[in-house]
Amino acid sequence: MKIYNKYIAAISISLVLASCKAPMATVIKDEVKENIPENFNQNEQQDANNNSGTTPWRQFFTDPNLVALIETSLKNNQELMITLQEIEIAKSGIIAKKGKLSPTVSAGIGAGVKKAGRYTSEGAGDATTDIEPGKEMPDPLGNFEGGLMANWEIDIWKKLRNEKDAAVAHYLSTVEGKNFVLSSLIEEVADNYYELLALDNQLDIIQQYIKLQTRALEISKIQKQAAAATELAVKKFEAELAKSKASEFTIRQQITEKENQINALCGRYPQPIVRTKESFMSTIPQTVYTGIPSQLLANRPDIKQAELELKAAKLDVEAARKEFYPSLEISATLGLEAFKPSYLVKMPESITYNLVGELAGPLINKSAIKANFQTADAKQIQALYEYDKTILNAYLDISNLMSKVKNIEQYYQLKSQETQALDQSIDIANQLFKNSRADYLEVLLNQRDALDAKMELIEAKQKQLSTVVDIYKGLGGGWK
């Protein structure tokens, strides 16, 4: 018998060892992070000690009306509120995973009744058992119990700790996700605010143009009466005036929609947006300092979020791999049990306890565990690609925006020169038209060109300001 016991023990140990074989996770290497360039522009050296991305948004934005809008959006924006609840969900996930590391203890009471067959071992034993002299075992037999039950999985392979660490990394990634939402929200509010100011200024320009067209129409009618112009000239000026008035209503609708877009970001119903449009064209964009590319890894919340998700994915792979190993569980019970409630208080006869340790591992049909491991391994690789893509896109964004800042500045300067020249040409054309030395078409073309140039100049100013906001957000600014 002892020999059989040795064989059984040897076979059991062999089976447990066989169950410990687990596949290896894919070894991933982050080449994009390792090879990030030293500068955004290879022809220019950036100062690592001067980075606008670290500037708090209250210092970066100086318009009090814009600051007030940002503050309102940070309090009321629904997307931000949703993100905050995602953080709470992730925090609960940590508590759940951490709880698995400790024993679970529960208390319970129960009552039941059982009738065993007379000609069974249990029934025959109950029938011949005397609890007290002269008293037979009750039939049917009741059962009353109460006590404590504990269960504990010993984390011998650090599987549960890996799951907890993965939950912590995911929680931290949701915090960075919230920071990215903050940064994006501030950028969106500022961009829409500058677009609204641009529309206000375009509305002023079109209204000035309408006045100019009205005077030109009056002049053409006077000249027609003096036989210095024809009915065709009058009709052309009338058509141009009607076109300008139609454009005014188009811009007014755009202003309404832009105001409501800002109100939506602020989480409120439609109301007027307080703003000062007069100083828009004289606003000088902030000077932005980019620092060096490696600082994006620490400043940009979306990069840090992707990095933490990659860390969580790696820990998930390790936890899934440990599922191939045997698990050790300890369970225990301690309580009182008797077939009559009055016997529950008789001690130590009614005391019952149980202590069991179990080491068990998967042997056959591991398809579910393998599938779980392969899924976790694929998600790990996917998280790496997502991380690399985020770093690469962040670098390209800054590179493009740096170029855009320079080019839009040159574009704005040239548009300013064009606008000044066309304003002068309008005065000249009007004088010539009054003296019948210029055709009405020359006046119309000059006025249209001047209008288009002024509209484009306002758009250039708006792009100047918005590009600075975009590069500020691209450097990781806005959430601090």
Side-chain angles (χ1 to χ4, degrees):
M1 189 68 179
K2 292 182 179 179
I3 295 176
Y4 287 131
N5 289 338
K6 290 181 179 179
Y7 282 140
I8 292 172
I11 292 172
S12 300
I13 293 172
S14 298
L15 291 174
V16 169
L17 292 175
S19 70
C20 291
K21 291 183 179 179
M24 297 299 295
T26 304
V27 179
I28 58 177
K29 186 177 181 182
D30 190 4
E31 296 182 356
V32 172
K33 178 181 177 181
E34 293 176 358
N35 298 326
I36 190 168
E38 295 182 0
N39 294 289
F40 290 106
N41 190 332
Q42 301 303 321
N43 299 322
E44 296 181 10
Q45 291 292 115
Q46 277 88 37
D47 184 4
N49 298 319
N50 209 351
N51 191 321
S52 296
T54 60
T55 305
W57 69 266
R58 291 178 186 277
Q59 297 177 19
F60 188 82
F61 297 104
T62 57
D63 187 331
N65 295 322
L66 175 56
V67 170
L69 288 172
I70 293 174
E71 287 177 341
T72 303
S73 68
L74 295 180
K75 292 177 183 177
N76 302 330
N77 184 262
Q78 283 80 13
E79 184 178 353
L80 181 57
M81 298 301 109
I82 292 171
T83 305
L84 292 177
Q85 294 310 307
E86 290 177 357
I87 293 176
E88 293 301 317
I89 294 170
K91 190 187 295 183
S92 299
I94 295 177
I95 297 172
K97 297 296 182 183
K98 188 177 180 180
K100 289 186 177 181
L101 291 168
S102 303
T104 57
V105 180
S106 58
I109 58 174
V113 64
K114 182 177 181 181
K115 173 68 172 70
R118 177 66 180 81
Y119 299 113
T120 63
S121 59
E122 183 181 355
D126 291 344
T128 58
T129 300
D130 292 332
I131 302 303
E132 294 181 8
K135 292 185 178 180
E136 295 182 355
M137 183 76 72
D139 189 22
L141 187 66
N143 186 64
F144 301 90
E145 60 182 352
L148 300 175
M149 293 148 281
N151 190 69
W152 188 17
E153 181 180 352
I154 309 299
D155 193 23
I156 54 178
W157 309 113
K158 295 185 178 181
K159 179 189 74 173
L160 300 179
R161 273 170 283 184
N162 283 337
E163 290 179 351
K164 185 206 74 173
D165 292 341
V168 171
H170 179 65
Y171 163 73
L172 294 175
S173 78
T174 60
V175 174
E176 295 300 337
K178 181 264 297 182
N179 292 338
F180 186 65
V181 171
L182 282 174
S183 184
S184 299
L185 178 60
I186 290 172
E187 176 201 33
E188 196 169 357
V189 171
D191 283 345
N192 279 281
Y193 179 76
Y194 291 137
E195 288 175 14
L196 180 59
L197 291 180
L199 288 170
D200 287 338
N201 280 264
Q202 287 182 334
L203 180 62
D204 289 344
I205 293 297
I206 201 72
Q207 288 174 341
Q208 293 172 15
Y209 186 64
I210 288 172
K211 291 179 181 178
L212 185 65
Q213 285 297 312
T214 302
R215 287 197 298 268
L217 176 59
E218 292 171 354
I219 293 172
S220 65
K221 288 180 177 179
I222 293 171
Q223 289 196 328
K224 179 196 169 188
Q225 292 174 355
T230 64
E231 181 68 17
L232 179 60
V234 174
K235 293 302 179 184
K236 282 288 186 180
F237 280 115
E238 285 180 352
E240 190 69 16
L241 180 60
K243 179 182 176 182
S244 300
K245 289 182 177 179
S247 298
E248 178 184 0
F249 288 103
T250 299
I251 295 175
R252 287 186 182 278
Q253 177 61 26
Q254 290 174 342
I255 289 174
T256 299
E257 293 176 1
K258 189 59 63 178
E259 283 186 318
N260 287 337
Q261 193 171 349
I262 294 174
N263 283 317
L265 292 172
C266 293
R268 63 191 187 188
Y269 287 105
Q271 58 183 272
I273 301 298
V274 179
R275 57 197 186 270
T276 305
K277 63 182 180 180
E278 289 76 17
S279 60
F280 176 72
M281 293 304 293
S282 60
T283 303
I284 300 175
Q286 286 265 28
T287 302
V288 179
Y289 302 97
T290 60
I292 56 177
S294 60
Q295 291 175 326
L296 291 174
L297 304 178
N299 291 342
R300 278 190 59 139
D302 57 335
I303 293 180
K304 291 194 286 184
Q305 181 183 19
E307 182 180 18
L308 287 165
E309 286 295 341
L310 175 59
K311 180 181 178 181
K314 289 179 179 179
L315 290 167
D316 284 337
V317 172
E318 284 302 308
R321 186 171 179 270
K322 301 296 173 58
E323 291 289 347
F324 289 93
Y325 298 166
S327 59
L328 175 61
E329 290 191 10
I330 297 175
S331 59
T333 59
L334 175 63
L336 302 174
E337 186 175 17
F339 60 82
K340 288 179 65 177
S342 59
Y343 288 159
L344 285 173
V345 294
K346 290 189 176 183
M347 304 219 187
E349 291 84 359
S350 63
I351 294 176
T352 179
Y353 60 85
N354 181 41
L355 179 64
V356 177
E358 183 180 55
L359 182 66
L363 289 177
I364 301 173
N365 193 8
K366 302 180 184 179
S367 57
I369 300 175
K370 288 179 180 178
N372 185 45
F373 171 77
Q374 291 169 355
T375 299
D377 193 44
K379 287 184 177 179
Q380 172 194 220
I381 299 172
Q382 187 181 50
L384 173 65
Y385 292 148
E386 189 68 34
Y387 180 50
D388 289 345
K389 183 183 77 171
T390 306
I391 294 175
L392 185 60
N393 287 343
Y395 179 88
L396 294 175
D397 282 346
I398 300 302
S399 181
N400 290 336
L401 288 168
M402 286 174 61
S403 174
K404 187 176 180 180
V405 166
K406 295 177 181 178
N407 289 327
I408 200 71
E409 172 65 24
Q410 296 299 320
Y411 177 83
Y412 181 79
Q413 295 299 331
L414 292 171
K415 276 294 174 183
S416 296
Q417 296 176 18
E418 179 187 4
T419 301
Q420 293 174 4
L422 288 171
D423 279 341
Q424 294 172 1
S425 69
I426 287 178
D427 293 335
I428 296 172
N430 286 337
Q431 290 296 327
L432 292 174
F433 182 64
K434 287 180 181 178
N435 298 320
S436 301
R437 295 177 60 190
D439 187 74
Y440 67 91
L441 289 176
E442 295 180 272
V443 176
L444 279 175
L445 290 175
N446 270 281
Q447 291 176 347
R448 286 179 185 175
D449 290 343
L451 175 64
D452 292 340
K454 288 180 179 179
M455 291 292 197
E456 290 169 357
L457 181 65
I458 293 171
E459 289 178 0
K461 173 58 70 174
Q462 178 263 316
K463 288 179 181 178
Q464 259 192 330
L465 297 172
S466 293
T467 301
V468 169
V469 173
D470 294 343
I471 197 170
Y472 171 64
K473 180 249 186 178
L475 291 169
W479 60 270
K480 294 182 180 179

